[in-house]
Each structure stands twice: as C-alpha cells, then as structure tokens.
Amino acid sequence: MRPTAAAFAAGCAALVLSSVGSAAAFELSSPELKPNATIPEKNVYNGFGCKGDNISPALSWKDAPNGTKSFALMVHDPDAPTGGAGWWHWVVYNLPADTTSLPDGAGSVDGKNLPQGAAQQTTDFGVPGWGGPCPPAGDKPHRYVFTVYALKVDKLDIPAGASASFVGFMVNANALGKARLTAKYGLAK
C-alpha cells in the first residue's frame, strides 16, 4: 500500500520538527551576570551619581545558528526615562564568526580588547564602548538586556556617525538568531 500525499507530507513535517526540536538553543551567558539578578558594582557606570568601575562584563555564547558569518552585541535599558527610546549601553558589531566570548573589560572606549575587525558604535553616553548601568536614584531597578545576534553577513557597512538605533536596524535586518540575558540594577534614593 502506498502512502497518500497527505500522509507523506505529515511524516516529512514530523521529521523536520523533530530535528529542529533537537537542535541546541542559541545561548548567552556570563560568569558575572545571572538572569534577573543585580549587576555587580564593578560593571556600573562611574558618573551621574553612580560610583562603579564601568568595566564591561565577560560574556560568552554557544550554539549559534548554522550559517552565522558574524555577530553583534547590543545592550539596552528599556526602562530609561527617555520618552520610550530606552538607553543604549553598548553596541558592538562585526565580531568574527569564530568569536564565542568577550573578556571582562572588552568594552573599553579604544576597543583594544575586542577581536580584530570588531567595531563599537557611539552609545547614549556619547562615546563608543561600554557604559554601565546608572538609573535615576529611587527608580525601580532597571532591566539591562544583553543581546547577541548571529548575522548572515560577514560585515555590516555602518556609515560614520550612525546612531545606535541605525546599527540595531541593520543588525535585525541581517539576524539569523539571537540570544538574550537580562540583569537588573537600581539605586536607592
């Protein structure tokens, strides 16, 4: 007895779904940042009333989607009181495809601890590199969303002077997948 076209299609769909379900999920982690936990003082901004060391945290990722040709990392505070735009704390792109981690302090303004070819965009602090958390005193703790994107292109061509939002648009337009880690920080009044 020959299977019907519908039975054949259903069997193929089940096979595809089972192979997709068994693939490991793209994952972002940090030895310093735990999901939804408080960001350590060493990663906090030094200014605007905050007294941290402004050192970017170590990050690592694994199980990027097949076909990944580069990575981008974007750190955003959606709770910042900016009229809905949030606040960009770190924007890195053109990380080579063989990159699976960034060390503690990779977000220095000069970018000397980033992999060859990587670029940092100006953040909402007005300079490139890591700008740690520093929400207004008395606000509820803000969320800091670390997102690493697997990209389908080797390099993003970002014009000089482009905004972090422009980079975000280009990153999302070329994303194969993304992995997130959210941590929090707040200041008592």
Side-chain angles (χ1 to χ4, degrees), residues 93-106:
Y93 57 96
N94 295 343
L95 290 160
D98 61 354
T99 306
T100 58
S101 65
L102 294 175
D104 215 33

Side-chain angles (χ1 to χ4, degrees), residues 12 14 26 33 45 76 78 96 113 127 129 147 166 170:
C12 288
F26 189 23
L33 307 177
Y45 192 69
H76 187 250
N113 293 325
V127 295
T147 308
F166 180 89
M170 296 302 291

Side-chain angles (χ1 to χ4, degrees), residues 5 25 140 176:
K140 67 177 179 159
L176 293 171

